[in-house]
Amino acid sequence: MLEDFKKFILKGNVVDLSTGVIIGAAFTGIVTAFTKGIVEPVIALAGGGPSPKLTIPIMQKVVEVTEKNAAGQDVTHMVNKLIELDVGIIIGAVTSFLITAAVVFFVIIKPMNKLVELANKSQPEPPPPETPADVQLLTEIRDLLKSRPN
């Protein structure tokens, strides 16, 4: 059991995955800084804040609110509260996700794919394996049979 676990841990996929997680965690800081420093100000121009202020009112609800007055006594009164769906926060989260995905794609994935492509071009293609003699013989027989008139 321990031997199987050792093989699993030492597999390249596990090492690659753990490396990816570590790099991803470190890259989060860059993406967060980019989003906070560049993207959110642009979104704020459109909607007035980091997330556009887009809400859909659902209903008014009367709630009881208790506050302290100037004398420090609890005073209870009724307040109308508007219940609404906040669509802006969803738009902001989706925008942030799409920007993060775009940055990861164009900064990490595309350059890595190009490097892998260049590395594969520099390695010569191995010659195709030689066809066994019996397969060659059968191929010749097939070709002769095809060429015979019916």
Side-chain angles (χ1 to χ4, degrees):
M1 184 186 232
L2 288 175
E3 189 64 32
D4 289 341
F5 181 71
K6 181 180 173 184
K7 286 179 189 175
F8 169 74
I9 292 298
L10 295 178
K11 266 187 176 178
N13 293 345
V14 174
V15 174
D16 291 346
L17 179 62
S18 62
T19 303
V21 169
I22 292 167
I23 294 298
F27 192 68
T28 301
I30 295 171
V31 173
T32 301
F34 178 79
T35 303
K36 294 244 183 255
I38 295 173
V39 176
E40 284 185 2
V42 171
I43 293 174
L45 288 175
S51 298
K53 299 294 182 197
L54 300 172
T55 58
I56 300 172
I58 297 176
M59 64 182 275
Q60 287 277 57
K61 184 177 181 182
V62 178
V63 294
E64 189 176 292
V65 177
T66 303
E67 297 175 335
K68 297 225 183 255
N69 63 11
Q73 300 169 332
D74 287 341
V75 177
T76 302
H77 53 87
M78 305 304 276
V79 176
N80 280 332
K81 183 175 181 180
L82 179 64
I83 298 178
E84 52 194 6
L85 295 176
D86 192 354
V87 179
I89 197 164
I90 295 169
I91 292 171
V94 168
T95 304
S96 178
F97 168 77
L98 291 175
I99 290 167
T100 302
V103 169
V104 167
F105 180 75
F106 289 111
V107 173
I108 296 176
I109 303 298
K110 285 297 264 186
M112 282 301 295
N113 287 346
K114 191 66 174 174
L115 287 174
V116 168
E117 182 182 315
L118 291 173
N120 288 340
K121 280 184 180 178
S122 66
Q123 297 174 354
E125 270 192 47
E130 193 172 313
T131 309
D134 57 344
V135 174
Q136 286 178 355
L137 179 62
L138 289 171
T139 304
E140 289 174 19
I141 293 171
R142 182 200 63 201
D143 293 343
L144 285 172
L145 288 172
K146 278 185 177 180
S147 66
R148 288 179 56 192
N150 290 336

